[in-house]
Amino acid sequence: MDAVMQQVAEHKGCGTSGGSGKASCGSGAGENDLPQEIWDKVKNHPCYSEEAHHHYARMHVAVAPACNIQCNYCNRKYDCANESRPGVVSEKLTPEQAAKKVLAVASTIPQMTVLGIAGPGDPLANPAKTFKTFELISKTAPDIKLCLSTNGLALPDHVDTIASYNVDHVTITINMIDPEVGAKIYPWIFWKHKRVEGIEAARILTERQLQGLEMLTERGILCKVNSVMIPGVNDKHLVEVNKAVKSRGAFLHNIMPLISAPEHGTVFGLTGQRGPSAQELKALQDSCEGEMNMMRHCRQCRADAVGLLGEDRSEEFTTDKIMAMEVNYDMEGRKAYQVAVEEERQAKVAARQEELATLAGEASDIKILAAVATKGSGLINEHFGHAKEFQIYELSTSGAKFVGHRRVDLYCQGGYGDEDSLETVIRAINDCHAVFVAKIGGCPKGDLAKAGIEAVDEYAHEFIEKSAIGWFKAYLEKVKTGEIVHESRGDAEIRQGALIATAAAAE
Ligand code: CLF
Ligand code: SF4
């Protein structure tokens, strides 16, 4: 393992001293928490840096249709569920179409910094298409970072090629290191021209995944491990997985909830295997965070996703549309735009630090969650009724820490509020004490208050963390003076229904 990767392996998100002297957690680790070489690799990557995901976008090109394993949470009719939300069929692209699409998107969305190949099958089960795409893009758009996500079975065979294309970021989905657990997740793999089943299949898969991870980190390639949390199958075991991947140099661990609605037609969906609740997911992520960087901002996006992680602009870039587009790839213009984004980002960090300093000396064990309606840039800039997701922050005397997001059904249905949707929003953010919004009507505000959630609109268009810290300070003051009594909130729902609704709308 080279010196830089050794530093990555040893880096513990929590308890690391940041520029402010404050502990920095997980993929929220900032410039002062990481070696310079690593910071340069992650600072503009929306998946590898939580901080970057408010400002920078990624895109996927769906050039890899085939897969070499079967996961019980996957229905082959749909995208790879390891890295993509199931339920949406992607348009398959040739490498040449993909290269044109990248130029079209990069010209339209200058903050798009990363091109990922994540399916709809496994990129390394389609190596010719995957590497041809990388080759074309590295020639025409050399400023774009290349990223890859794989189930890992074929990974050891391709590590040198991956390194030769300067792919800096690789994700491996590792759901187990114990073949007995694996046999409950993977019915078969396709290995050396034949189908292998059961424990033997899982044994080969885990060996190849861990071998591939070691080979990548030895070459200085930054690795993220995705794990799907399947209650009763691998939830407890994922703590062991976390230790195993950390010891092999993984930079980031992304524990994602199982999506298993029966409508998807997957084995887990049809057998009634449930996904985790919001609290179960957070508890597992928290328990692993002392070991290594945890990603909590993954959107389980599709194999043709385009835009900021929380938005989906893929409909603007269908094959018909991109083939008709006049593309003007202006690298200097992109650079200039990104300089402005960086200034905005620095202003946000400075505002947070300034507000955080005012919390110094506050002694309280209270930790609460708050939901935020945002369109990006780290601002409270979305109306309650227009939010398709809420970002979740944990507020404590250490500051405001991003801990997740919740997808919801739109409350505002073209001029009127939908009461059923409001119910689902409340269930999705039921563990929060407050929801920060740019604007909200009197009716939903009242209904939220009845459910014990305060709708806060006085920080409209201000920075999220600075505002949340300010509000939390006032909350602590009210508790101290006895104006309010602090009470814990209940659990919340990870909205599988909202995923299906969005998917259906996109089809
Ligand atoms: Fe794509 Fe994955 Fe690269 Fe990101 S996504 S290949 S690392 S550029 Fe990101 Fe999407 Fe989550 Fe993946 S939010 S599903 S972690
Ligand atoms: Fe499906 Fe991806 Fe698993 Fe292949 S690796 S079976 S495409 S979820």
Side-chain angles (χ1 to χ4, degrees):
M1 194 184 301
D2 75 15
V4 169
M5 293 315 289
Q6 184 64 37
Q7 290 181 63
V8 172
E10 286 170 1
H11 170 71
K12 285 199 172 64
C14 283
T16 307
S17 200
S20 61
K22 168 185 161 291
S24 171
C25 287
S27 57
E31 188 167 6
N32 298 310
D33 304 303
L34 297 169
Q36 188 63 43
E37 302 91 308
I38 303 295
W39 175 244
D40 287 342
K41 283 186 182 176
V42 303
K43 67 180 178 190
N44 296 350
H45 194 307
C47 303
Y48 281 68
S49 161
E50 184 277 309
E51 157 66 25
H53 104 279
H54 300 280
H55 306 276
Y56 292 99
R58 55 77 186 93
M59 70 175 291
H60 290 164
V61 285
V63 294
C67 191
N68 48 6
I69 68 173
Q70 178 65 57
C71 307
N72 277 336
Y73 46 74
C74 177
N75 179 341
R76 285 297 176 72
K77 281 195 294 194
Y78 301 125
D79 288 347
C80 171
N82 280 334
E83 187 72 3
S84 320
R85 166 166 56 85
V88 181
V89 181
S90 309
E91 268 184 316
K92 314 285 186 304
L93 299 179
T94 63
E96 290 71 22
Q97 287 169 324
K100 171 98 198 262
K101 182 171 180 175
V102 172
L103 293 183
V105 173
S107 308
T108 316
I109 308 178
Q111 69 272 46
M112 192 282 282
T113 47
V114 178
L115 177 268
I117 301 186
D122 186 79
L124 298 181
N126 305 260
K129 287 180 186 151
T130 295
F131 291 120
K132 181 72 190 170
T133 304
F134 283 152
E135 183 194 324
L136 293 173
I137 291 163
S138 58
K139 277 189 198 138
T140 49
D143 61 324
I144 291 177
K145 285 191 174 72
L146 304 177
C147 195
L148 175 72
S149 170
T150 174
N151 62 41
L153 181 63
L155 180 57
D157 304 334
H158 297 289
V159 167
D160 288 332
T161 316
I162 289 170
S164 74
Y165 281 102
N166 292 325
V167 177
D168 266 347
H169 302 80
V170 174
T171 294
I172 314 168
T173 298
I174 302 183
N175 295 318
M176 54 85 208
I177 50 168
D178 174 350
E180 298 216 359
V181 176
K184 296 178 193 155
I185 303 171
Y186 305 102
W188 55 261
I189 64 170
F190 197 71
W191 176 242
K192 297 195 173 162
H193 311 292
K194 62 177 199 290
R195 188 183 277 220
V196 182
E197 298 181 351
I199 290 179
E200 176 63 1
R203 188 189 58 73
I204 296 167
L205 182 61
T206 181
E207 280 176 14
R208 299 281 292 174
Q209 290 174 331
L210 296 178
Q211 184 192 355
L213 172 60
E214 281 177 1
M215 291 172 75
L216 288 168
T217 56
E218 271 164 16
R219 286 160 178 77
I221 295 170
L222 227 45
C223 293
K224 170 163 75 63
V225 168
N226 282 0
S227 299
V228 180
M229 179 181 180
I230 311 164
V233 175
N234 71 347
D235 47 344
K236 297 199 171 54
H237 180 60
L238 285 180
V239 176
E240 296 308 311
V241 172
N242 177 269
K243 288 187 182 131
V245 301
K246 179 195 157 61
S247 70
R248 288 168 175 82
F251 172 72
L252 192 60
H253 194 186
N254 172 24
I255 299 183
M256 314 180 284
L258 172 72
I259 298 169
S260 63
E263 295 88 318
H264 292 144
T266 64
V267 170
F268 283 149
L270 296 172
T271 55
Q273 171 63 52
R274 72 171 180 95
S277 72
Q279 233 167 45
E280 288 170 330
L281 178 66
K282 182 172 181 300
L284 178 58
Q285 290 169 334
D286 287 350
S287 72
C288 293
E289 191 163 74
E291 296 294 325
M292 69 181 292
N293 297 329
M294 298 302 294
M295 178 182 189
R296 298 171 189 254
H297 59 284
C298 175
R299 302 305 200 275
Q300 289 167 276
C301 41
R302 346 173 346 165
D304 60 356
V306 174
L308 292 171
L309 297 193
E311 69 180 5
D312 183 2
R313 297 182 61 176
S314 52
E315 283 298 292
E316 291 172 45
F317 300 98
T318 56
T319 308
D320 287 353
K321 287 179 188 161
I322 52 169
M323 288 304 152
M325 267 184 203
E326 282 271 324
V327 172
N328 169 25
Y329 193 69
D330 172 11
M331 199 133 74
E332 287 311 310
R334 281 173 51 77
K335 254 192 221 153
Y337 187 94
Q338 288 173 19
V339 167
V341 170
E342 212 45 46
E343 282 166 9
E344 175 185 77
R345 181 175 174 176
Q346 295 305 333
K348 187 188 82 170
V349 171
R352 178 183 66 205
Q353 295 310 109
E354 199 184 318
E355 195 67 31
L356 195 58
T358 68
L359 265 179
E362 283 284 353
S364 169
D365 291 338
I366 292 179
K367 272 188 183 173
I368 59 179
L369 298 183
V372 179
T374 175
K375 285 192 273 203
S377 305
L379 296 167
I380 302 166
N381 54 4
E382 182 64 290
H383 291 199
F384 177 79
H386 297 164
K388 291 190 195 131
E389 69 161 36
F390 290 92
Q391 296 191 352
I392 309 294
Y393 284 77
E394 186 173 70
L395 312 182
S396 71
T397 51
S398 306
K401 174 184 160 194
F402 181 100
V403 291
H405 61 90
R406 309 277 163 75
R407 286 211 179 96
V408 295
D409 295 334
L410 266 189
Y411 169 66
C412 183
Q413 302 286 337
Y416 67 92
D418 178 344
E419 284 311 307
D420 289 346
S421 299
L422 184 60
E423 292 258 308
T424 65
V425 174
I426 289 173
R427 286 207 298 276
I429 61 170
N430 187 49
D431 49 353
C432 297
H433 280 73
V435 55
F436 291 77
V437 297
K439 203 169 176 186
I440 184 167
C443 278
K445 198 171 191 172
D447 287 345
L448 283 162
K450 271 188 229 147
I453 303 166
E454 181 184 339
V456 183
D457 55 4
E458 58 260 36
Y459 298 100
H461 303 286
E462 293 188 26
F463 289 124
I464 296 169
E465 288 150 305
K466 175 182 175 6
S467 307
I469 294 169
W471 179 87
F472 180 66
K473 247 185 340 185
Y475 182 89
L476 287 183
E477 196 51 39
K478 286 184 207 159
V479 173
K480 251 192 252 165
T481 60
E483 189 184 331
I484 54 171
V485 176
H486 171 67
E487 282 175 20
S488 308
R489 303 272 316 156
D491 205 347
E493 194 178 89
I494 293 175
R495 290 271 302 116
Q496 307 230 336
L499 298 173
I500 298 161
T502 320
E507 272 171 339

